[in-house]
Amino acid sequence: MTDQAISPPHQRWRETINAILHDGTTIHAWIKASAGNSSGRLTAYVAGEPAAAVETANPDEFEFRQLTLESGGDTVFSFDPVTTDISVLYAFLPSRVLEEGIRLLHVRPVNAAPDIAGGYHFRPPFGWMNDPNGFGRFEGRLHLFYQHYPHSLRWNNMHWGHAVSDDYLRWTHLPVFLPPSEEIAARADGRGGAFSGSAIALSGEAGLRIFFTEHMKDREPEEQVQFTAVTRDFVKAEPATLILPARPAGLGLTTDFRDPYVFRGPDGKWKMLLGTRDREGGVILLYETEDPAAAAGWTFLGVIHRENRFGMTAAECPCLIPVDGPANDPSTRWALIFGLLTSRDPATGRRNVTLATVGRFDGLRFAVEFEQELDFGTDAYAFQAFVDETGPIGIAWLANWTDVSRETDMPTAMTLPRRLALRGGALITPPIGAVESLRQRRLDAGGLLDGLPVDLANGAVEILLTLAEAGNAFRLAFEHPEAKVEVELNEDGLSIPFSLANAKTSPRYIAAGARPSTVRIFLDAGSIEVFADDGRWTGTKRLPGFNGVNSVRLVAPAGNVLAAEIWQLGL
C-alpha cells in the first residue's frame, strides 16, 4: 500500500500512500510521533496540491484524527517515517458507507489482518477483536459491534469495532465506532476503555442507543461504570452519558461490574443485566427503568442469578433471551447465558465455561427449570443474542482467555451465527440456515467411508456424517500442521480430542453422554465447530495458526457410519 517517493517536490524522501478518492471523502487516521520526536504530521495532497493535514505530539499511543477532502482525485498521503508513525488509515463516503463500507489504505504488519484464502468466519479488517457487542437488526440491517484494539493483534485499550450484513455471513466493515475516553486512549498501557455492552433501537427515529462499561484500572472507588450513548447515523457515537456510577452496596461485590445487556422484559419495561462476583462465585444483577428511551432512571432490582460451583469466578456477558415464544407470554421460557471467567471444570480441565440456564422470567425473577453448557469446546465465549425476524440468533467470540497472552499475537474470529430453540428438554444451538449458501462444491467423500485419507483442499469445509444408529462409535482424525485434532464419539460421549505438539496435558473437550445420530462439522483456518443432532450438542475449538486442516480420515467399525458428505466452503 505504501511506496517511497519524493512528494511533494524539493522535500526529503518521505513515505506515501496513494489512492484515487471521491469528492467529500472522509479519512480516519491514527497517528503518533515516532520515538524521540516531539511531533508527527500526515499531509494529504490532491492533484499535487495540499488538501488537509493532521498532527500529534503524542509519542506513546496512536491518536485518532479525521480529514475531509472537499475535492477528490489522485490523492497522496505523505509523512516522514523518521518523525511520524501511521497505524491505520482508511477512507469512506459518509453518504454511502453503510452500503460500501470503508476502504482500507494502510495498516502496519503488526496490526494487519491475516491473509486467509477461503476463510468464512467474521474477522476484523485490522487489529485485535474479542467479545461481540450490540448484536442486532436495526433499520433492516444486521449490525455487529465488537471489542477492538486497532493497533496490534493483542488486547489493549478497548474500542468498539463495527460491521453490517444482510445475511449474517458476508459483512461490510464500517469505521471504528466507539473509542475509549481521551484519558485512556492517550496511553497504550491496557488501562481499560469501552468494554462490552449491547444496543437497542431508538424509538420513533433512525439510530440506536448503546450501553457499555467504561473500565479504568485503579480508578477509585469504581474501576467499572456504565455509560450510554446514541448514534443517529449508525457510524459515530454521540458523547456518552454516565448512567450507573457505582455497584449496588451491601452485597460484598468485587470491583467487577460490567457488560450491560439491555432488553425488553415481559412487562414491556427495559431491563438490564450486569455481571459481577462476590467471594462465593459469579453474580448476575438485574436493573430496570421506567424511561421508554432507556436513557436514564435505572434502578437495581436484585440478584437474578448466581453460580457458586466454580468458586470466585466472575459472571461475564450475561444475556437473557426468550426461546420458545414471545416475551410477553407467561408460558415462554427464557435462556440466561453467561460466561464464568477463571472457572475450571475439575472433571475435564476446561477453563472459562459458558452456561445456559433455561426457565421462566416474569420481569423480576428468573425461575430455573434446567441448565446445560452452551458449548463443550468452551471457545464460544461472550455469547450475545437477540430475537430476529425468524427467532433468536446469537454469536460468540471464537476463543478462550486461556489462550490470550500479552506477549503473543492472537488474531481471532467470531463463531458462525447460531439459532436458539428448545427441543426435547434441551436448548439447541444449530448454525443458521444461511450457512448452506457457503457451499461451493462437493468434495469426493467416497474414500472417507473406506477409511482412506481425504484431501480437504484449503481446509474450509463442512463435513456431515449420518450414523446408522444413534451413538455409533467413530473417530475423525484431521491432519493439522500445528496440533492434534480429532472428533470422536464413543461410550463416554462426543469429544474434540485436541493437543498442541509440546503440551504436557490438555483439557478434555467432551459432551459427556452425548449419543447423536448426525454430526455436522465446520472447519476453517483457525477453528473447528461441531454441531451434533442439529445443535443439541455444540463444540467449538480455536485452532492455532492460519493454515487449514489438510486432510481427514475416518476410523469406525463397519456399518457404523451410514453416509458422509464433504462440502468446500467459501464466501
Side-chain angles (χ1 to χ4, degrees):
M1 292 183 191
T2 62
D3 55 38
Q4 299 291 329
I6 300 176
S7 178
H10 312 303
Q11 293 193 16
R12 69 180 180 182
W13 284 86
R14 299 172 67 86
E15 192 159 347
T16 61
I17 304 163
N18 304 279
I20 298 176
L21 300 175
H22 295 286
D23 295 356
T25 294
T26 294
I27 309 296
H28 284 181
W30 276 264
I31 177 175
K32 76 174 180 179
S34 300
N37 289 276
S38 59
S39 65
R41 180 180 176 88
L42 174 70
T43 304
Y45 298 85
V46 176
E49 296 297 323
V54 291
E55 296 182 337
T56 180
N58 189 344
D60 299 318
E61 175 63 308
F62 293 98
E63 293 190 334
F64 170 74
R65 297 290 185 267
Q66 179 171 301
L67 306 85
T68 300
L69 303 180
E70 294 184 4
S71 299
D74 288 329
T75 306
V76 176
F77 299 92
S78 175
F79 64 98
D80 182 351
V82 174
T83 64
T84 307
D85 285 340
I86 307 296
S87 172
V88 178
L89 189 74
Y90 58 74
F92 62 94
L93 282 172
S95 63
R96 287 155 46 185
V97 66
L98 291 175
E99 292 78 21
E100 298 178 355
I102 61 172
R103 179 181 172 188
L104 188 58
L105 303 177
H106 171 79
V107 292
R108 304 174 300 155
V110 296
N111 63 334
D115 184 11
I116 301 174
Y120 55 89
H121 283 79
F122 177 86
R123 298 182 185 277
F126 47 83
W128 164 270
M129 177 183 74
N130 55 287
D131 306 354
N133 303 148
F135 182 48
R137 185 182 295 274
F138 305 102
E139 296 293 310
R141 283 191 180 91
L142 297 162
H143 288 252
L144 174 63
F145 300 88
Y146 53 89
Q147 292 284 274
H148 184 42
Y149 181 68
H151 311 306
S152 79
L153 301 182
R154 303 177 193 172
W155 186 94
N156 207 305
N157 295 330
M158 283 290 99
H159 304 55
W160 276 29
H162 189 194
V164 292
S165 176
D166 292 324
D167 65 356
Y168 290 104
L169 299 172
R170 298 160 182 87
W171 294 91
T172 298
H173 296 293
L174 299 184
V176 173
F177 179 75
L178 181 67
S181 69
E182 291 185 7
E183 181 181 358
I184 294 173
R187 296 165 55 185
D189 58 2
R191 296 189 69 212
F195 275 24
S196 295
S198 55
I200 61 173
L202 292 182
S203 177
E205 60 178 313
L208 55 84
R209 175 177 296 281
I210 65 164
F211 303 85
F212 66 96
T213 299
E214 183 190 76
H215 176 90
M216 184 181 292
K217 187 178 179 181
D218 298 326
R219 177 171 55 191
E220 296 289 348
E222 300 290 346
E223 289 190 352
Q224 299 183 347
V225 295
Q226 316 313 316
F227 277 83
T228 187
V230 163
T231 178
R232 291 176 171 82
D233 62 5
F234 297 99
V235 176
K236 181 180 179 181
E238 297 177 5
T241 302
L242 179 65
I243 53 173
L244 288 178
R247 296 161 286 167
L251 297 180
L253 302 176
T254 67
T255 55
D256 301 280
F257 179 54
R258 58 180 174 270
D259 309 336
Y261 177 78
V262 175
F263 63 103
R264 187 79 75 175
D267 52 9
K269 298 177 183 178
W270 289 112
K271 313 290 181 178
M272 179 192 293
L273 301 182
L274 284 157
T276 181
R277 67 174 128 186
D278 60 18
R279 295 195 175 276
E280 301 298 323
V283 177
I284 300 174
L285 309 175
L286 177 64
Y287 285 74
E288 176 184 275
T289 181
E290 301 282 348
D291 180 2
W298 288 97
T299 58
F300 176 55
L301 297 181
V303 172
I304 190 174
H305 191 72
R306 62 183 308 120
E307 175 52 70
N308 294 349
R309 290 172 296 174
F310 297 91
M312 193 175 170
T313 59
E316 290 194 310
C317 303
C319 167
L320 186 57
I321 196 86
V323 289
D324 69 344
N328 60 1
D329 185 338
S331 66
T332 293
R333 266 83 62 84
W334 295 63
L336 174 62
I337 300 169
F338 56 95
L340 285 170
L341 184 67
T342 73
S343 61
R344 181 183 183 276
D345 176 21
T348 62
R350 294 170 304 147
R351 303 295 302 269
N352 302 314
V353 299
T354 297
L355 297 180
T357 58
V358 176
R360 287 185 167 82
F361 176 57
D362 64 5
L364 297 175
R365 290 164 296 276
F366 179 67
V368 178
E369 295 183 1
F370 68 89
E371 176 188 85
Q372 66 184 64
E373 269 196 77
L374 183 73
D375 189 292
F376 69 86
T378 71
D379 286 3
Y381 197 75
F383 189 87
Q384 188 169 107
F386 76 102
V387 179
D388 200 3
E389 297 159 349
T390 58
I393 306 288
I395 198 169
W397 179 41
L398 207 165
N400 192 295
W401 286 110
T402 56
D403 295 336
V404 175
S405 166
R406 288 185 177 271
E407 290 74 41
T408 304
D409 290 347
M410 197 189 88
T412 59
M414 294 296 179
T415 65
L416 287 174
R418 299 165 183 186
R419 297 187 294 110
L420 295 90
L422 293 184
R423 181 184 299 167
L427 178 69
I428 66 169
T429 56
I432 58 171
V435 296
E436 293 190 6
S437 71
L438 299 172
R439 294 175 175 176
Q440 297 183 334
R441 62 185 176 92
R442 282 182 183 267
L443 299 181
D444 184 6
L448 199 63
L449 294 177
D450 296 328
L452 301 175
V454 175
D455 182 77
L456 296 182
N458 68 353
V461 299
E462 174 190 352
I463 300 173
L464 177 61
L465 299 183
T466 302
L467 307 182
E469 293 184 12
N472 272 3
F474 73 86
R475 179 167 60 90
L476 281 174
F478 300 101
E479 182 188 349
H480 186 275
E482 298 184 44
K484 173 188 174 183
V485 185
E486 299 178 342
V487 173
E488 184 173 17
L489 179 61
N490 57 28
E491 65 275 8
D492 295 331
L494 178 67
S495 64
I496 305 174
F498 171 85
S499 62
L500 298 174
N502 298 321
K504 294 181 180 179
T505 60
S506 297
R508 192 177 185 206
Y509 302 101
I510 185 168
R515 293 180 54 81
S517 297
T518 60
V519 180
R520 192 178 185 189
I521 300 164
F522 289 84
L523 289 161
D524 199 357
S527 67
I528 180 170
E529 293 173 272
V530 178
F531 302 92
D533 279 4
D534 200 29
R536 168 59 185 88
W537 297 279
T538 300
T540 305
K541 187 73 192 77
R542 178 182 172 271
L543 304 180
F546 292 96
N547 293 311
V549 167
N550 299 317
S551 65
V552 59
R553 185 169 64 90
L554 174 66
V555 180
N560 272 19
V561 180
L562 187 64
E565 297 176 66
I566 305 177
W567 293 87
Q568 180 75 59
L569 303 182
L571 293 172

